[in-house]
C-alpha cells in the first residue's frame, strides 16, 4: 500500500439542532450569566447565551461522574443553577443489540473521529451472548519484549488470495461497505458511503438495484451486486468494477426473497431497475438457475468471462451446513466468500426470520474457518464476515475468530444518525432521511457531511484495531486471524485461565 | 393437488386504547412560540392525527408516534421528550412479555405478520424456544416460495393412529383395519384456557374461530350447553367428569374426544370407540420426567393421540422442571428409538406464545400444537390474570362479541400460518408433516456454544 494516506478527520456535528446524549443539563433562573461554566468545561458543552449559557452540546457532558474533576460545573457554579440528570429520552433509544450507549458512542465517533470520553460503552451491546460475552485477553502492557508503534502496524488485507492471474486488490482497512440498493436508501446515503469508501481506500457495494450514474465516478471502489432479481444488472455495469458480488442470501432474511414496496418504486428507481413505477418488486429466493455447486460455478464463470479482471465475491447466509456452502463457493471459483450472519440489517423483513432463521455470525465464522483450514484451502480464499458487526471490537473479535475482514452496513447508517427505530419502510420512508427516496426527506442530509461522518467513524475504528493489535504485540491484522487463544467467553473462561486483562 | 388453504383476514380494530411502548412528553413552560413549531413537521403527522393543539402542554401516551425523535432533536428549547410507558413495562410477566403481547395484538388486529426494518434488535439467545434457530436452504437445496403464493406449502396434519402397513385379502381387498384419522389444515388446536373471565362469550369466540379455520377447540364436558351446541363439529369434548354422563347422540356425532390420562384411560378409549368407531380419542397427559415411559406404555396398549401439556410457562410438573421443548424432544426420540413414533400423533401445548414456538415445537417432535393464552391476547387480553382472582377484566373480555372475537382469532392464526410458511419455505420443506422431528435442520444453542466457544482462551 504505497502512496495511500488515510483521510483527514473533520468535526461533523449532528445535523439536528439537539444531539442526543445520555445526560440532560438544565440551568435554572438562579443563573447570573457569569460565564464560568462556558469557561471551565473542557468539552465545550456550553455556549454563551444572552440571558444565560446554553448547554448546546450536552451530549459531550460527562455526567455526574465528572464530580471528581475540578471543572465540574454543577459544583463550581456560584449560584448552583446547573442540574445534570439522565436524559429521559435516552431510555427509549435503541435495543438490546444496539443499546442507547452504543448508538451514542457511535455518533460520537462519527462526529469527532475519536473514542467517546463520556463513559459510554461503545464496544459491546446488551444482547447477553456472542460478541457481547466475548472479550480480548490483552497482556499487561509491559509484558511485551519489543513495543510496537502505531506506524508499524498494518491493517491492510489482500482480497485476492487465489493465486490466479487476476489483479491483487489490497484494502488498507479490513473492512468494506455492504450492499444497500438505491431505492432502499437515498442517493445521498449511497454516495456518502461510496465517497467514504474511496477516501478509506476500500469498497462499497451497490446492493441489488442497479448502478446509478452518480456512482460512475467511483467505479474503482464499487462492488456491483448480482442478486436473484437481477435488477439493474447489465453487461456494462459488470465490466465497470473490480469486484462483482453474487448475493445468494441475506442474513436478515435468510431463505426469503426481497420485497421493495410499491411506494418506494419511484420513476427513478423503476428506470434503474427496468421495472414499472409504483409496483412492488419481488426479488425471488433463491437463484432459480442455481441448485448445485456446478450451477454455482457456471454463474461465477459467466461473470469471470464478462469481466476478465474482476474478483468474484459470493455472499451467503448461515445455514447448518454453512461450512459446505463456503467450500462449494471456493470450488466454484470465488475469491471472496462473505458470510452474512442472522442479525444483519435490512429495509424490511419478517421479524420471525430475523430472529430465528439461520445462525449468528459468531457461530458461523469459526465453523467455516476451521473447516477450510482442515480442507487445506483457507489461505486461498478471503472470508468476510457481516450481519451483526456493530463496533471496532466486534470487527476485531470476528477476525480473531477466523475472518479476514468485515463488511458493514448498519454501522454506516448509525454514523448518519440512524436511531434504529425499525421503521425504514413506513410511510414516506425513513423519517431521518437515510433510507428513503422521498425528495424532501432526502434533503435532510448533505453529501459532504455524510461522507465525513462515515470517514470519522471508521477512522476511530481503525485506531481501536491498531491499539488492540499493539497490545497483542502484532504488526499486522493478518496475524490476528483465527487467534481464538486471545479471546475469552465470559461464560466459559475461568479466572485462573486469564493471563492479562479482559477488554 | 388439494385446494389451497387460505385464511381470509379482515381488519378488526381494538376496542380499547392500545398500550404502546413509549410516549411523548412535552412541556409548555419555556415554549418560545416559534412561528412554525417542530411538531408541525412530524413526518407521521402525530400531532395532527391526534387533533392536539400544538401550543398546548401535552403528556401523551399514543400509538401513532414512530420514535423518529425529530421533534425531540429539533425543539429549540428542548421541551419535547420521549418516555417509556410504565403500563407497557408491567404488561404480562417474564415469559409473556410486553413485546410478545403487543405482537399478538398487532397480528390479531391486522392479520399481518410483524415486519420491520433494520436488523434484529433482541437478545442473542434466551431460555426455552429462544435457544434454537431454524435452518435455511442455500445453493444446493432449493427453498420454496410459499409466502408469495408461487408454490404450495401444505400445513395440514393428521390426528389419529396411523397404520404402518396394509394387509390385502385374496381378492386384493384391504383387510387391515384403518383407524379413523382427522385432518386439520393448520397444526394448531385451541386448548382449554388456564384462566379467563366467566361466561359463554369467550368459548363461543374460540369455537367460532375454530370453525372458520377448520380446526378444533377443546371444551370441557361440563361447559357444554345450548349456546355452544351449534359448534360441536369443531369441538373436542374433554371428558373431565363422569363419562357415563355424556349424551349418546353427542358421542356418536363427535369426531375427537379428549380424556384424562390415568388408570383406565385405554379402557375408556375403547369403550368410547365401541360406541363410535369413527371417533379419535386423545389422551391428555401432564408433561413430566415420566412422560417418555408412560407414552411408550400407552402406545403399546393402543393409544392414538397423546396431548402432552406443560404449564403456561412451558414447564413440566415436578422439581427442576424441564421446558416443553426439551422434554418433547426426549419423548419423540424415545418413541423413534422404539420404532413406534410414526404410529401415533403427539400434540404439545403450554407456553406456546408466538408463531415461531409452533414451528420449533414441531421440529422438536410434536405433530401439532395446542394454544391457549394467545387466543385471549388476540381479544386484547393484557395477561394481568386478574380474572383468576375474580377481579373484573380491564378489557371486558366477558362481554366480547363472539363475531369480533373470532375475527381477531382468525387474523392471529392467519399471521401464524404465514409465518409457518416463511420457516418452511426457507427450509425448503413443502409440508408441515415433514417438519416434525427435523432436529437436524435446526441449530441448538447448547450444541453451538460447546462447539464454538468452549475452547476460547486456551492456548495450543
Amino acid at each position: 500500500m504505497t502512496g495511500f494516506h488515510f483521510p483527514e478527520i473533520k468535526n461533523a456535528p449532528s445535523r439536528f439542532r439537539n444531539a442526543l446524549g445520555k445526560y440532560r443539563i438544565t440551568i435554572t433562573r438562579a443563573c447570573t450569566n457569569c460565564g464560568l461554566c462556558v469557561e471551565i468545561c473542557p468539552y465545550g458543552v456550553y455556549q454563551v447565551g444572552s440571558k444565560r449559557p446554553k448547554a448546546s452540546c450536552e451530549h459531550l457532558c460527562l455526567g455526574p461522574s465528572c464530580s471528581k474533576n475540578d471543572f465540574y460545573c454543577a459544583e463550581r457554579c456560584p449560584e448552583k443553577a446547573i442540574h445534570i440528570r439522565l436524559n429521559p429520552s435516552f431510555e427509549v433509544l435503541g435495543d438490546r443489540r444496539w443499546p442507547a450507549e452504543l448508538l451514542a458512542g457511535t455518533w460520537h465517533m462519527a462526529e469527532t473521529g475519536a473514542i467517546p470520553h463520556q463513559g459510554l460503552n461503545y464496544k459491546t451491546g446488551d444482547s447477553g451472548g456472542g460478541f457481547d460475552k466475548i472479550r480480548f485477553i490483552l497482556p499487561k502492557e509491559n509484558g511485551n519484549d519489543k513495543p510496537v508503534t502505531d506506524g508499524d502496524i498494518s491493517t491492510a488485507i489482500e482480497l485476492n488470495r487465489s493465486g490466479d492471474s487476476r489483479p491483487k486488490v489490497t484494502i488498507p482497512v479490513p473492512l468494506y461497505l455492504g450492499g444497500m440498493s438505491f431505492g432502499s436508501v437515498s442517493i445521498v446515503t449511497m454516495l456518502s458511503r461510496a465517497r467514504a469508501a474511496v477516501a478509506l481506500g476500500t469498497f462499497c457495494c451497490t446492493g441489488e438495484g442497479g448502478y446509478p450514474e452518480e456512482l460512475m465516478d467511483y467505479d474503482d471502489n464499487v462492488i456491483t451486486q448480482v442478486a436473484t432479481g437481477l435488477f439493474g444488472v447489465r453487461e456494462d455495469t459488470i465490466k465497470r468494477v473490480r469486484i462483482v458480488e453474487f448475493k445468494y442470501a441475506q442474513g436478515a432474511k435468510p431463505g426469503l426473497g426481497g420485497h421493495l414496496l410499491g411506494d418506494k418504486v419511484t420513476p427513478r428507481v423503476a428506470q434503474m431497475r427496468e421495472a414499472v413505477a409504483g409496483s412492488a418488486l419481488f426479488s425471488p429466493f433463491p437463484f432459480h438457475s442455481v441448485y448445485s455447486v456446478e450451477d454455482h460455478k457456471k454463474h461465477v464463470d459467466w461473470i469471470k468471462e464478462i469481466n476478465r479482471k474482476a474478483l468474484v465475491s459470493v455472499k451467503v447466509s448461515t445455514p447448518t451446513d454453512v461450512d459446505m456452502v463456503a467450500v462449494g463457493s471456493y470450488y466454484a471459483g470465488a475469491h471472496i466468500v462473505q458470510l452474512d450472519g442472522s442479525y444483519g440489517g435490512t429495509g424490511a423483513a419478517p421479524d420471525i426470520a430475523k430472529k430465528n432463521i439461520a445462525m449468528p455470525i459468531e457461530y458461523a465464522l469459526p465453523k467455516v474457518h476451521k473447516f477450510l483450514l482442515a480442507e487445506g484451502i483457507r489461505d486461498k480464499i478471503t472470508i468476510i464476515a457481516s450481519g451483526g458487526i456493530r463496533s471496532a471490537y466486534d470487527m476485531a473479535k470476528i477476525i480473531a475468530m477466523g475472518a479476514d475482514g468485515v463488511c458493514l452496513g448498519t454501522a454506516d447508517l448509525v454514523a448518519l444518525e440512524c436511531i434504529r427505530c425499525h421503521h425504514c419502510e413506513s410511510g414516506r420512508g425513513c423519517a431521518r432521511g437515510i433510507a428513503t427516496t422521498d425528495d424532501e426527506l432526502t434533503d435532510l442530509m448533505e453529501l459532504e457531511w455524510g461522507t465525513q461522518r462515515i470517514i470519522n467513524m471508521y477512522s476511530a475504528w481503525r485506531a481501536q484495531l491498531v491499539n488492540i493489535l499493539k497490545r497483542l504485540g502484532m504488526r499486522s491484522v493478518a496475524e490476528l486471524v483465527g487467534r481464538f487463544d486471545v479471546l475469552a467467553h465470559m461464560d466459559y473462561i475461568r479466572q485462573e485461565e486469564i493471563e492479562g486483562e479482559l477488554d | 393437488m388439494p385446494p389451497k388453504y387460505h385464511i381470509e383476514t379482515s381488519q378488526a380494530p381494538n376496542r380499547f386504547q392500545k398500550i404502546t411502548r413509549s410516549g411523548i412528553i412535552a412541556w409548555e413552560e419555556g415554549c418560545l412560540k416559534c412561528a412554525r413549531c417542530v411538531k408541525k413537521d412530524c413526518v407521521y403527522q402525530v400531532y395532527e392525527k391526534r387533533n392536539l393543539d400544538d401550543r398546548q402542554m401535552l403528556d401523551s401516551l399514543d400509538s401513532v408516534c414512530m420514535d423518529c425523535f425529530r421533534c425531540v432533536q429539533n425543539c429549540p428549547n428542548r421541551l419535547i421528550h420521549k418516555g417509556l410507558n410504565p403500563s407497557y413495562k408491567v404488561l404480562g410477566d417474564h415469559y409473556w412479555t410486553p413485546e410478545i403481547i403487543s405482537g399478538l395484538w398487532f397480528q390479531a388486529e391486522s392479520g399481518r405478520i410483524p415486519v420491520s426494518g433494520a436488523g434484529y434488535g433482541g437478545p442473542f439467545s434466551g431460555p426455552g424456544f429462544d435457544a434454537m434457530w431454524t435452518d435455511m436452504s442455500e445453493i444446493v437445496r432449493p427453498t420454496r416460495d410459499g409466502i408469495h403464493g408461487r408454490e404450495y406449502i401444505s400445513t395440514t396434519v393428521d390426528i389419529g393412529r396411523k397404520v404402518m402397513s396394509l394387509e390385502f385379502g385374496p381378492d386384493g381387498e384391504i383387510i387391515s383395519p384403518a383407524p379413523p384419522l382427522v385432518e386439520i389444515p393448520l397444526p394448531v388446536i385451541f386448548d382449554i384456557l388456564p384462566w379467563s373471565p366467566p361466561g359463554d362469550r369467550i368459548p363461543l369466540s374460540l369455537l367460532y374461530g375454530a370453525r372458520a379455520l377448520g380446526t378444533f377447540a377443546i371444551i370441557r364436558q361440563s361447559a357444554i350447553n345450548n349456546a355452544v351446541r351449534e359448534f360441536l363439529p369443531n369441538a373436542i369434548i374433554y371428558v373431565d367428569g363422569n363419562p357415563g354422563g355424556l349424551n349418546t347422540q353427542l358421542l356418536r356425532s363427535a369426531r375427537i374426544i379428549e380424556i384424562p390420562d390415568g388408570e383406565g384411560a385405554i379402557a375408556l378409549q375403547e369403550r368410547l370407540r365401541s360406541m363410535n368407531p369413527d371417533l379419535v380419542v386423545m389422551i391428555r397427559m401432564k408433561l413430566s420426567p415420566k412422560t417418555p415411559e408412560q407414552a411408550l406404555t400407552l402406545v403399546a396398549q393402543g393409544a392414538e393421540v397423546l396431548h402432552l401439556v406443560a404449564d403456561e410457562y412451558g414447564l413440566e410438573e415436578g422439581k427442576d422442571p424441564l421446558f416443553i421443548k426439551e422434554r418433547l424432544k426426549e419423548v419423540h426420540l424415545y418413541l423413534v428409538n422404539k420404532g413406534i413414533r410414526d404410529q401415533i400423533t403427539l400434540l404439545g401445548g403450554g407456553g406456546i406464545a408466538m408463531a415461531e414456538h409452533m414451528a420449533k415445537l414441531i421440529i422438536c417432535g410434536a405433530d401439532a400444537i395446542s394454544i391457549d393464552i394467545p387466543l385471549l391476547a388476540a381479544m386484547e387480553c393484557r395477561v394481568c390474570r386478574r380474572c383468576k382472582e375474580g377481579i373484573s377484566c380491564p378489557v371486558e373480555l366477558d362481554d366480547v362479541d363472539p363475531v369480533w372475537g373470532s375475527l381477531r382469532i382468525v387474523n392471529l392464526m392467519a399471521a401464524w400460518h404465514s409465518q409457518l410458511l416463511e420457516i418452511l419455505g426457507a427450509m425448503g420443506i413443502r409440508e408441515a408433516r415433514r417438519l416434525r422431528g427435523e432436529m437436524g435442520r435446526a441449530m441448538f444453542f447448547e450444541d453451538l456454544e460447546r462447539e464454538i466457544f468452549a475452547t476460547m482462551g486456551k492456548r495450543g
Side-chain angles (χ1 to χ4, degrees), chain B residues 198-211:
Chain B
D200 279 337
R201 288 173 167 256
I202 295 169
L204 275 176
S205 303
L206 267 56
L207 286 163
Y208 214 124
R211 182 165 75 181

PDB file of all heavy atoms in Angstrom, chain B residues 198-211:
ATOM      1  N   PRO B 198     -65.528 -15.281  33.265  1.00  0.00           N
ATOM      2  CA  PRO B 198     -66.585 -16.282  33.080  1.00  0.00           C
ATOM      3  C   PRO B 198     -67.503 -15.969  31.891  1.00  0.00           C
ATOM      4  O   PRO B 198     -67.399 -14.913  31.284  1.00  0.00           O
ATOM      5  CB  PRO B 198     -67.366 -16.189  34.397  1.00  0.00           C
ATOM      6  CG  PRO B 198     -67.155 -14.783  34.855  1.00  0.00           C
ATOM      7  CD  PRO B 198     -65.773 -14.395  34.410  1.00  0.00           C
ATOM      8  N   GLY B 199     -68.359 -16.909  31.609  1.00  0.00           N
ATOM      9  CA  GLY B 199     -69.398 -16.683  30.591  1.00  0.00           C
ATOM     10  C   GLY B 199     -69.147 -17.461  29.320  1.00  0.00           C
ATOM     11  O   GLY B 199     -68.102 -18.094  29.144  1.00  0.00           O
ATOM     12  N   ASP B 200     -70.141 -17.407  28.444  1.00  0.00           N
ATOM     13  CA  ASP B 200     -70.120 -18.177  27.197  1.00  0.00           C
ATOM     14  C   ASP B 200     -69.383 -17.473  26.073  1.00  0.00           C
ATOM     15  O   ASP B 200     -69.055 -18.073  25.066  1.00  0.00           O
ATOM     16  CB  ASP B 200     -71.554 -18.411  26.713  1.00  0.00           C
ATOM     17  CG  ASP B 200     -72.195 -19.569  27.453  1.00  0.00           C
ATOM     18  OD1 ASP B 200     -71.419 -20.405  27.973  1.00  0.00           O
ATOM     19  OD2 ASP B 200     -73.428 -19.617  27.504  1.00  0.00           O
ATOM     20  N   ARG B 201     -69.193 -16.158  26.216  1.00  0.00           N
ATOM     21  CA  ARG B 201     -68.753 -15.391  25.052  1.00  0.00           C
ATOM     22  C   ARG B 201     -67.331 -15.737  24.615  1.00  0.00           C
ATOM     23  O   ARG B 201     -67.046 -15.762  23.418  1.00  0.00           O
ATOM     24  CB  ARG B 201     -68.867 -13.893  25.350  1.00  0.00           C
ATOM     25  CG  ARG B 201     -70.334 -13.499  25.373  1.00  0.00           C
ATOM     26  CD  ARG B 201     -70.548 -12.088  25.815  1.00  0.00           C
ATOM     27  NE  ARG B 201     -71.905 -11.725  25.507  1.00  0.00           N
ATOM     28  CZ  ARG B 201     -72.246 -10.938  24.493  1.00  0.00           C
ATOM     29  NH1 ARG B 201     -71.321 -10.410  23.725  1.00  0.00           N
ATOM     30  NH2 ARG B 201     -73.503 -10.686  24.237  1.00  0.00           N
ATOM     31  N   ILE B 202     -66.472 -16.013  25.569  1.00  0.00           N
ATOM     32  CA  ILE B 202     -65.097 -16.372  25.194  1.00  0.00           C
ATOM     33  C   ILE B 202     -65.056 -17.750  24.521  1.00  0.00           C
ATOM     34  O   ILE B 202     -64.525 -17.880  23.425  1.00  0.00           O
ATOM     35  CB  ILE B 202     -64.154 -16.254  26.405  1.00  0.00           C
ATOM     36  CG1 ILE B 202     -64.084 -14.783  26.838  1.00  0.00           C
ATOM     37  CG2 ILE B 202     -62.764 -16.788  26.082  1.00  0.00           C
ATOM     38  CD1 ILE B 202     -63.410 -14.546  28.148  1.00  0.00           C
ATOM     39  N   PRO B 203     -65.649 -18.793  25.170  1.00  0.00           N
ATOM     40  CA  PRO B 203     -65.669 -20.098  24.469  1.00  0.00           C
ATOM     41  C   PRO B 203     -66.342 -20.021  23.099  1.00  0.00           C
ATOM     42  O   PRO B 203     -65.877 -20.668  22.148  1.00  0.00           O
ATOM     43  CB  PRO B 203     -66.453 -21.018  25.413  1.00  0.00           C
ATOM     44  CG  PRO B 203     -66.703 -20.277  26.656  1.00  0.00           C
ATOM     45  CD  PRO B 203     -66.177 -18.897  26.535  1.00  0.00           C
ATOM     46  N   LEU B 204     -67.375 -19.204  22.995  1.00  0.00           N
ATOM     47  CA  LEU B 204     -68.044 -19.075  21.687  1.00  0.00           C
ATOM     48  C   LEU B 204     -67.107 -18.464  20.646  1.00  0.00           C
ATOM     49  O   LEU B 204     -67.074 -18.886  19.494  1.00  0.00           O
ATOM     50  CB  LEU B 204     -69.302 -18.213  21.816  1.00  0.00           C
ATOM     51  CG  LEU B 204     -70.558 -18.954  22.256  1.00  0.00           C
ATOM     52  CD1 LEU B 204     -71.721 -17.969  22.445  1.00  0.00           C
ATOM     53  CD2 LEU B 204     -70.954 -20.037  21.242  1.00  0.00           C
ATOM     54  N   SER B 205     -66.315 -17.465  21.065  1.00  0.00           N
ATOM     55  CA  SER B 205     -65.364 -16.860  20.135  1.00  0.00           C
ATOM     56  C   SER B 205     -64.370 -17.905  19.641  1.00  0.00           C
ATOM     57  O   SER B 205     -64.026 -17.957  18.462  1.00  0.00           O
ATOM     58  CB  SER B 205     -64.586 -15.731  20.823  1.00  0.00           C
ATOM     59  OG  SER B 205     -65.472 -14.771  21.334  1.00  0.00           O
ATOM     60  N   LEU B 206     -63.910 -18.745  20.571  1.00  0.00           N
ATOM     61  CA  LEU B 206     -62.945 -19.782  20.203  1.00  0.00           C
ATOM     62  C   LEU B 206     -63.562 -20.779  19.218  1.00  0.00           C
ATOM     63  O   LEU B 206     -62.946 -21.151  18.223  1.00  0.00           O
ATOM     64  CB  LEU B 206     -62.466 -20.527  21.459  1.00  0.00           C
ATOM     65  CG  LEU B 206     -61.196 -20.023  22.131  1.00  0.00           C
ATOM     66  CD1 LEU B 206     -61.293 -18.554  22.499  1.00  0.00           C
ATOM     67  CD2 LEU B 206     -60.871 -20.840  23.377  1.00  0.00           C
ATOM     68  N   LEU B 207     -64.777 -21.214  19.533  1.00  0.00           N
ATOM     69  CA  LEU B 207     -65.432 -22.210  18.679  1.00  0.00           C
ATOM     70  C   LEU B 207     -65.734 -21.630  17.300  1.00  0.00           C
ATOM     71  O   LEU B 207     -65.520 -22.276  16.270  1.00  0.00           O
ATOM     72  CB  LEU B 207     -66.719 -22.700  19.341  1.00  0.00           C
ATOM     73  CG  LEU B 207     -66.505 -23.640  20.532  1.00  0.00           C
ATOM     74  CD1 LEU B 207     -67.762 -23.736  21.375  1.00  0.00           C
ATOM     75  CD2 LEU B 207     -66.070 -25.031  20.053  1.00  0.00           C
ATOM     76  N   TYR B 208     -66.198 -20.420  17.311  1.00  0.00           N
ATOM     77  CA  TYR B 208     -66.500 -19.710  16.070  1.00  0.00           C
ATOM     78  C   TYR B 208     -65.219 -19.635  15.212  1.00  0.00           C
ATOM     79  O   TYR B 208     -65.209 -19.928  14.011  1.00  0.00           O
ATOM     80  CB  TYR B 208     -66.960 -18.292  16.435  1.00  0.00           C
ATOM     81  CG  TYR B 208     -68.004 -17.700  15.530  1.00  0.00           C
ATOM     82  CD1 TYR B 208     -69.214 -17.231  16.050  1.00  0.00           C
ATOM     83  CD2 TYR B 208     -67.768 -17.575  14.161  1.00  0.00           C
ATOM     84  CE1 TYR B 208     -70.175 -16.661  15.231  1.00  0.00           C
ATOM     85  CE2 TYR B 208     -68.732 -17.002  13.347  1.00  0.00           C
ATOM     86  CZ  TYR B 208     -69.918 -16.545  13.882  1.00  0.00           C
ATOM     87  OH  TYR B 208     -70.853 -15.963  13.080  1.00  0.00           O
ATOM     88  N   GLY B 209     -64.134 -19.256  15.880  1.00  0.00           N
ATOM     89  CA  GLY B 209     -62.840 -19.156  15.190  1.00  0.00           C
ATOM     90  C   GLY B 209     -62.376 -20.504  14.676  1.00  0.00           C
ATOM     91  O   GLY B 209     -61.907 -20.629  13.541  1.00  0.00           O
ATOM     92  N   ALA B 210     -62.524 -21.537  15.510  1.00  0.00           N
ATOM     93  CA  ALA B 210     -62.099 -22.881  15.107  1.00  0.00           C
ATOM     94  C   ALA B 210     -62.868 -23.326  13.871  1.00  0.00           C
ATOM     95  O   ALA B 210     -62.310 -23.917  12.943  1.00  0.00           O
ATOM     96  CB  ALA B 210     -62.317 -23.868  16.252  1.00  0.00           C
ATOM     97  N   ARG B 211     -64.148 -23.001  13.844  1.00  0.00           N
ATOM     98  CA  ARG B 211     -64.964 -23.393  12.684  1.00  0.00           C
ATOM     99  C   ARG B 211     -64.493 -22.665  11.429  1.00  0.00           C
ATOM    100  O   ARG B 211     -64.335 -23.261  10.375  1.00  0.00           O
ATOM    101  CB  ARG B 211     -66.439 -23.086  12.951  1.00  0.00           C
ATOM    102  CG  ARG B 211     -67.326 -23.520  11.796  1.00  0.00           C
ATOM    103  CD  ARG B 211     -68.778 -23.555  12.179  1.00  0.00           C
ATOM    104  NE  ARG B 211     -69.326 -22.208  12.267  1.00  0.00           N
ATOM    105  CZ  ARG B 211     -70.597 -21.941  12.615  1.00  0.00           C
ATOM    106  NH1 ARG B 211     -71.411 -22.931  12.938  1.00  0.00           N
ATOM    107  NH2 ARG B 211     -71.030 -20.714  12.665  1.00  0.00           N
TER     108      ARG B 211
END
